[in-house]
């Protein structure tokens, strides 16, 4: 499925088979989960995608060719971080998520809304056994970015999650495993999402314009709405952290300094490191993380994006690719 230009429908196309370069593997895609970032790219909210582009950065596939230490037939996951330079100051200090020359899957290079994909073998990760392809796919961004966001929330005991989609429904499981209490916030009036947040293990769930019954120690925002930064800041106590987990957000409105005072922190999370991937994929089976997915055939990628935009997906949307 090809994106020719932002704000145009995805087009079904027969592309030449991708050829792996040195150090790359060729993958037979089995499933690819749909992320809000895919939506931001399709909607033209992220500035510089390669065009035309195959979206998708939560790929589960089997290695069918190319070099690498992983071996043919291995089932691997491919995340958003597709390549880093290894030389810039960020890379050298172990912060490859901030690499100035990083390339991202389904943005700078073609991704997984396809039958075949190529990926740098160093950025492919063997997946926990036991998780079917469909259930494993959302671990690769919703899970990974959620995990990095959770680490940025520090040792918060009472954690708020604003926007209860794919990432939050994974984070709540990890947070509970770590002994935290989770407070879920959903779109005002969306009772079904509120019930889903409770079903997934939230201690309390309410609408994002409501205050939680207790003061929070930290909050993670997955909803791309800038005004929620201020809402979350008012929900956390002194010393609390508000973590913005998304890649794009509407403008944050002005707010009085008093809302930030008391050593409250606002921070963003950008991308992921390979270390995040190794840690999270080792942790997920211990929790164990169970993802709730809605499957779409590859050709319905556009419908999956529309459902995500409309808030109609419970858990994660995943494209299923039927190979030959
Ligand atoms: Zn993503
Ligand atoms: Zn770098």
């Amino acid at each position: 499925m090809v994106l020719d230009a932002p704000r145009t429908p995805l087009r079904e196309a027969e592309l030449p088979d991708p050829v792996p370069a040195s150090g790359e593997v060729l993958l037979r895609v089995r499933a690819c989960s749909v992320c809000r970032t895919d939506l931001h790219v399709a909607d033209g909210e992220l500035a510089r995608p390669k065009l035309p582009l195959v979206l998708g950065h939560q790929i589960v596939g089997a290695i069918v060719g190319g070099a690498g230490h992983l071996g043919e037939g291995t089932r691997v996951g491919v995340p958003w971080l597709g390549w880093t330079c290894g030389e810039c100051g960020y890379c050298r200090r172990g912060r490859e998520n901030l690499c100035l020359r990083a390339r991202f899957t389904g943005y700078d290079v073609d991704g997984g809304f396809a039958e075949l994909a190529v990926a740098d073998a160093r950025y492919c990760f063997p997946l926990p056994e036991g998780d079917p392809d469909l259930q494993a796919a959302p671990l690769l961004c919703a899970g990974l970015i959620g995990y990095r966001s959770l680490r940025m929330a520090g040792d918060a005991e009472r954690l708020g999650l604003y926007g209860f989609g794919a990432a939050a429904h994974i984070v709540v499981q990890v947070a509970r495993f770590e002994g935290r209490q989770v407070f879920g916030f959903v779109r005002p009036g969306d009772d079904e999402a509120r019930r889903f947040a409770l079903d997934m293990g939230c201690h309390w769930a309410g609408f994002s314009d409501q205050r939680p019954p207790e003061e929070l120690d930290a909050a993670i925002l997955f909803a791309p709405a800038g005004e929620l930064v201020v809402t979350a800041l008012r929900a956390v106590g002194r010393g609390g952290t508000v973590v913005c987990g998304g890649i794009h957000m509407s403008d944050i409105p002005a707010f009085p300094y008093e809302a930030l005072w008391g050593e409250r922190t606002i921070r963003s999370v950008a991308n992921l490191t390979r270390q995040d991937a190794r840690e999270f994929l080792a942790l997920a089976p211990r929790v164990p993380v169970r993802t709730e997915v809605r499957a779409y055939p590859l050709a319905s990628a556009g419908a999956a994006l529309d459902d995500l935009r409309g808030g109609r997906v419970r858990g994660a949307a995943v494209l299923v690719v039927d190979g030959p």
Side-chain angles (χ1 to χ4, degrees), residues 84-92 96 98-102:
T84 56
C85 79
E87 294 167 358
C88 72
Y90 296 109
C91 281
R92 279 188 278 121
E96 64 182 1
L98 303 179
C99 174
L100 297 170
R101 290 157 56 201

Side-chain angles (χ1 to χ4, degrees), residues 35 37 57 141:
C35 174
T37 297
H57 56 269
C141 187

Side-chain angles (χ1 to χ4, degrees), residues 15-28 50 54 63-67 103 109-111 114-121:
L15 302 176
D17 287 0
V19 178
S22 166
E24 289 182 338
V25 290
L26 178 66
L27 299 168
R28 167 82 50 203
K50 158 195 178 297
V54 178
I63 295 180
V64 291
R103 288 186 214 142
V109 296
D110 281 338
E115 292 172 345
L116 295 170
V118 294
D120 187 314

Side-chain angles (χ1 to χ4, degrees), residues 108-281:
D108 299 303
V109 296
D110 281 338
F113 290 11
E115 292 172 345
L116 295 170
V118 294
D120 187 314
R122 297 169 299 170
Y123 298 81
C124 295
F125 299 91
L127 292 169
E129 278 173 32
D131 271 342
D133 300 332
L134 265 178
Q135 276 69 30
L139 301 179
L140 290 156
C141 187
L144 283 175
I145 297 290
Y147 173 75
R148 187 171 177 86
S149 302
L150 183 59
R151 295 278 78 83
M152 298 300 175
D155 59 2
E157 280 177 29
R158 289 179 305 265
L159 175 73
L161 299 177
Y162 286 81
F164 210 88
H169 99 292
I170 295 174
V171 170
V172 64
Q173 299 176 53
V174 179
R176 284 196 50 185
F177 175 75
E178 294 175 340
R180 309 173 196 241
Q181 270 186 353
V182 181
F183 298 73
F185 297 85
V186 304
R187 285 185 211 205
D190 192 345
D191 261 312
E192 204 184 317
R194 203 175 63 84
R195 270 195 304 275
F196 178 52
L198 290 170
D199 288 348
M200 293 307 299
C202 283
H203 173 71
W204 174 92
F207 301 132
S208 57
D209 55 2
Q210 286 179 284
R211 288 185 69 89
E214 296 169 58
E215 197 168 70
L216 305 177
D217 301 311
I220 304 174
L221 270 64
F222 294 116
E227 66 272 16
L228 289 179
V229 174
V230 185
T231 305
L233 213 42
R234 294 191 188 284
V236 300
R238 293 182 173 196
T241 301
V242 174
V243 181
C244 303
I247 193 168
H248 171 84
M249 188 180 268
S250 57
D251 287 352
I252 301 169
F255 58 88
Y257 176 60
E258 163 270 321
L260 181 64
W261 193 77
E263 303 198 339
R264 292 174 178 86
T265 305
I266 305 173
R267 66 166 308 152
S268 67
V269 162
N271 315 316
L272 68 138
T273 65
R274 281 173 282 179
Q275 186 57 28
D276 293 329
R278 285 186 283 266
E279 284 177 20
F280 176 67
L281 292 173

